[in-house]
Each structure stands twice: as structure tokens, then as C-alpha cells.
Amino acid sequence: MIKLERVSKIYNNNGVLTTGLHNINLELEKNEIVAIVGESGSGKSTLLNVLTKMDSFDEGEYYYKGNETSYFDVNDMDNFRKDKVGFIFQNYNIIDSYTVLENVMLPFIIKGENKKDAKIKAKELINKVGLNNRIKNKGTELSGGEKQRCVIARALASDCEILACDEPTGNLDKQSGDQIIRFMKETNRLFGQTYIIVTHNKEIADYTDREITIDDGEIINDIDLLDVRENEVIK
């Protein structure tokens, strides 16, 4: 679905050039759950930003479903994010003054749905993420795990093909974080989006299909975890 060929990202800070990404070759398939891991400053977030069109790139080519995207201008990138990408962040980005229902209704309203239809569709998603008993609660009344479930439902409401997750368990304790990652795996199987999860927590890889390690702007490891687990079962 996504293919990067020799993609590089270079930052110019007052004439000082810094390489954010260097010669990245990468293919991501539909329905994959991919973890991008590495130390702070390794280029994880830069790679995520390029993959989701939050940021441009300077060299190489980015193909989406076989189509080149290097010609994209700011409007093209905005439209790509609006139509193709849902975002799940460490700090949730939930609207605290809105109820769970109102938060999940937002993407439908933005796309022009009438409120009646938006409410019906939002309730279906809220039920699927297990927040029916909190549907009338405002963001300020939710736990961290509940907020993240609400954000996942809101991202799914945007009918995106890619879910970009930047440290999605960073503000959660281990138990809640594990629950959210398992839940994300369940929603991936149910809805079929491609999940791209940036994290410094290597344990998250236990729940993903693939682990990509990046260091100093370069991919140094790309492991098919499904294949690894299958071989372990065979052994």
C-alpha cells in the first residue's frame, strides 16, 4: 500500500543541514500492525510524519497504492491526511468538554453527515470499543485508557486506511498500556486499517506483526514477527 524508495529528509536550521532520514526503503501492506522502535532522536517520529504526510521529504519517492506523491503540495498533503489517516497520540487530543458521543460524532459531522446519522454511526463505534457505559461522560471524567479508546473510536469514525499512533501508551501504566495495544490489535482485525505505531517500548512489538528499528535516520532492522512466531511454534 505504501512504498518508500530511497527517501531522505534533510532539515536546514540557519544554514546547518541535519539529516532526519537517510535513504529509507520501506513497504507497508494493508492491514499490517507495524511498530517503529528506536531511541529518542533516532528518527521514529520523522519517519511517521513523512509516512502520514505531516511532513514532506527531500529525496526519493513515496508511492501510495502505486501512485507517486512527490509532487504533493500543502493542499494535497492536507487532503491525504483528511481522507487517509487517523491519528492517535500520547496526550490523547480528546476534547475534554465534549462527551464521548460528541467526540466520536465529530469526524462524521466534519464530513457533512447530518447529526441524526452521525449519532447512530458514532454509537455503533462506541459500542465496539466498549465505552457504552461512558457515552455521556465528558473527557475530563474518563481514565487514561478510556480516553485512548475514545480516540481510537474517533479515528475509526474518520474511515481512514492508516492509523498513525505516536507513543499511544506513553501516558498509561503498564496494565492499561497492554490493554490498549491488545485492543488496537482487535480493532485492526475487525476494521482492517494499517496501524503504524511509533514507540520506545519494545514490549509493544509482542502485539504487532512487524518491528522496524530505526537509528540515526536509517532503518537497521525490519523483522516479520508473524514469521518469527510461526517458526517458534514449528520448533
Side-chain angles (χ1 to χ4, degrees):
M1 185 170 73
I2 294 175
K3 182 178 182 180
L4 304 186
E5 281 190 353
R6 300 180 65 84
V7 166
S8 295
K9 173 68 183 177
I10 301 168
Y11 295 102
N12 187 339
N13 185 15
N14 296 324
V16 179
L17 301 182
T18 305
T19 300
L21 299 174
H22 178 65
N23 267 356
I24 298 291
N25 292 301
L26 177 64
E27 291 190 48
L28 302 180
E29 303 297 334
K30 183 176 172 60
N31 299 354
E32 273 193 310
I33 308 177
V34 180
I36 301 176
V37 301
E39 300 296 327
S40 296
S42 61
K44 303 188 303 294
S45 293
T46 302
L47 179 57
L48 183 68
N49 288 342
V50 168
L51 287 168
T52 58
K53 296 297 182 184
M54 288 286 286
D55 203 354
S56 59
F57 55 95
D58 299 295
E59 297 175 353
E61 186 56 82
Y62 176 135
Y63 297 92
Y64 186 76
K65 295 184 176 179
N67 298 311
E68 296 182 359
T69 67
S70 55
Y71 68 87
F72 274 18
D73 60 18
V74 173
N75 288 333
D76 293 324
M77 291 171 68
D78 286 344
N79 289 330
F80 183 92
R81 292 194 303 273
K82 183 178 70 174
D83 296 336
K84 307 296 183 185
V85 187
F87 292 92
I88 300 170
F89 296 104
Q90 177 178 339
N91 59 357
Y92 315 122
N93 281 9
I94 194 172
I95 301 176
D96 283 329
S97 60
Y98 279 23
T99 64
V100 168
L101 179 60
E102 290 168 335
N103 267 283
V104 180
M105 283 176 63
L106 261 182
F108 296 117
I109 298 297
I110 290 171
K111 287 193 172 184
E113 297 261 8
N114 63 63
K115 285 190 176 181
K116 182 179 178 181
D117 290 341
K119 183 178 287 188
I120 292 170
K121 292 178 180 179
K123 283 183 175 180
E124 289 176 356
L125 285 173
I126 290 166
N127 179 51
K128 286 175 180 175
V129 302
L131 282 180
N132 258 348
N133 63 328
R134 307 290 273 166
I135 195 168
K136 294 182 179 179
N137 289 88
K138 293 186 176 181
T140 51
E141 301 170 320
L142 304 178
S143 69
E146 288 169 340
K147 285 184 178 182
Q148 207 59 301
R149 282 176 179 255
C150 180
V151 171
I152 292 170
R154 189 177 64 189
L156 293 169
S158 65
D159 196 26
C160 55
E161 297 180 331
I162 303 163
L163 273 175
C165 314
D166 194 357
E167 300 286 3
T169 63
N171 283 337
L172 303 175
D173 59 56
K174 187 179 187 306
Q175 182 179 358
S176 298
D178 288 347
Q179 288 174 351
I180 287 297
I181 292 298
R182 286 197 297 270
F183 174 69
M184 289 167 68
K185 187 165 187 174
E186 292 170 9
T187 58
N188 167 264
R189 302 304 180 234
L190 186 62
F191 294 97
Q193 281 87 0
T194 297
Y195 277 77
I196 308 172
I197 305 172
V198 163
T199 181
H200 67 277
N201 181 4
K202 299 240 341 158
E203 292 180 10
I204 285 179
D206 293 339
Y207 301 100
T208 63
D209 303 330
R210 192 169 157 197
E211 180 183 280
I212 296 169
T213 305
I214 189 166
D215 182 50
D216 200 20
E218 298 185 1
I219 291 176
I220 60 171
N221 232 339
D222 188 348
I223 303 172
D224 184 337
L225 296 172
L226 295 178
D227 189 47
V228 170
R229 292 177 193 128
E230 184 178 345
N231 288 335
E232 288 176 349
V233 169
I234 291 171
K235 287 178 184 178

